[in-house]
């Protein structure tokens, strides 16, 4: 399948630890898609089994698995964005308990240690320049948000159904809050179609799309 072929390409690139530019990486994926058949190699099949077991261990629903696979496929073309996640994922799949370089001995036994991930109580705008760019658009974003009032635009927030989140009474996703109402207005959500919503908020979407660096991760809402 296309997903298996792309994952085979990702396996080859991630396992080899390549650091090519995004354009070269995209070429590798295209080449792999053309020469990898339906039957994956034993290593690639093992990688896929480990990945599925990893998803199951974290309680991912079929929908969540699909979204996770989407991000893993992105590793093949967005080398810089996933530079820290790639080695972490491989360590998880291989059952490695070795501390990532630069970690303190006091962190031994901590789950999900991601190499190179910084930890701060508060992040300064100088550390993340795109925050300042987004804040500068606050008046336009606020105006578009207020313009949505009275249009029945907001819908109940629903999370994917999982082991700890039973389905909602109406069968649409799961209710993830204890009481009251939690209504949202989606602009982006994992490549789902919210074009009509975005058409009502052009300045907000323009500000999101303009985020510098690695960009947004396709999840934005009011």
């Amino acid at each position: 399948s296309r997903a298996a072929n792309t994952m085979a390409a990702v396996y080859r690139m991630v396992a080899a630890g390549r650091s090519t530019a995004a354009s070269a990486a995209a070429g590798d994926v295209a080449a792999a898609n053309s020469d990898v058949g339906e039957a994956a190699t034993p290593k690639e099949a093992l990688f896929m089994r480990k990945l599925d077991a990893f998803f199951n261990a974290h309680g991912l629903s079929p929908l969540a698995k699909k979204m996770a696979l989407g991000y893993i496929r992105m590793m093949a073309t967005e080398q810089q964005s996933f530079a820290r996640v790639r080695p972490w994922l491989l360590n998880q799949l291989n059952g490695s308990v070795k501390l990532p370089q630069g970690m303190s001995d006091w962190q031994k036994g901590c789950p999900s240690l991601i190499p190179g991930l910084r930890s701060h109580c508060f992040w300064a705008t100088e550390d993340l320049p795109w925050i300042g760019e987004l804040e500068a658009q606050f008046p336009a974003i606020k105006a578009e948000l207020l313009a949505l009032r009275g249009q029945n635009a907001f819908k109940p927030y629903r999370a994917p159904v999982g082991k700890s989140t039973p389905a909602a009474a109406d069968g649409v996703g799961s209710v993830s809050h204890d009481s009251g109402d939690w209504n949202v207005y989606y602009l982006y959500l994992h490549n789902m179609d919210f074009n009509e919503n975005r058409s009502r908020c052009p300045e907000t979407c323009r500000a999101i799309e303009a985020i510098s660096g690695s960009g947004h991760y396709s999840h934005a809402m009011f």
Side-chain angles (χ1 to χ4, degrees):
S1 66
R2 181 179 179 183
N5 290 346
T6 309
M7 281 306 303
V10 173
Y11 167 80
R12 290 174 178 173
M13 299 179 67
V14 175
R18 298 183 187 179
S19 58
T20 56
S23 58
D28 284 340
V29 172
N33 280 342
S34 64
D35 63 18
V36 177
E38 292 294 329
T41 68
K43 278 190 175 182
E44 290 161 358
L46 176 62
F47 176 77
M48 293 299 293
R49 289 197 298 271
K50 286 185 175 182
L51 189 61
D52 193 57
F54 174 75
F55 290 160
N56 289 335
H58 285 74
L60 269 64
S61 66
L63 175 60
K65 286 183 181 182
K66 184 176 181 180
M67 292 187 293
L69 280 171
Y71 281 112
I72 292 174
R73 285 195 293 269
M74 288 168 61
M75 290 184 187
T77 56
E78 298 187 20
Q79 296 287 318
Q80 184 177 0
S81 300
F82 295 92
R84 291 189 293 260
V85 179
R86 248 191 333 271
W88 169 82
L89 178 60
L90 286 177
N91 285 341
Q92 294 291 310
L93 297 182
N94 293 326
S96 174
V97 294
K98 182 180 179 181
L99 284 177
Q101 186 176 1
M103 294 291 178
S104 167
D105 288 341
W106 289 94
Q107 293 178 289
K108 288 181 178 179
C110 295
S112 300
L113 292 174
I114 299 178
L117 186 66
R118 294 176 293 167
S119 176
H120 297 298
C121 295
F122 300 97
W123 290 83
T125 301
E126 294 74 25
D127 294 321
L128 302 169
W130 61 268
I131 292 181
E133 298 169 10
L134 198 60
E135 288 178 338
Q137 302 302 317
F138 170 73
I141 294 173
K142 179 182 178 182
E144 290 183 341
L145 169 61
L146 295 179
L148 295 174
R149 292 183 299 181
Q151 296 189 34
N152 194 31
F154 284 72
K155 305 299 180 184
Y157 173 79
R158 296 296 168 82
V161 177
K163 293 180 179 178
S164 59
T165 53
D170 59 7
V172 180
S174 66
V175 177
S176 59
H177 53 284
D178 296 329
S179 60
D181 295 321
W182 184 6
N183 297 322
V184 298
Y185 184 84
Y186 278 113
L187 298 171
Y188 301 90
L189 180 63
H190 305 300
N191 297 319
M192 295 179 67
D193 184 8
F194 288 102
N195 287 329
E196 183 178 349
N197 285 9
R198 290 196 291 270
S199 69
R200 299 180 182 180
C201 306
E203 295 302 321
T204 299
C205 293
R206 190 172 292 114
I208 294 173
E209 292 289 349
I211 291 176
S212 58
S214 59
H216 68 94
Y217 81 123
S218 297
H219 197 147
M221 59 183 167
F222 284 128

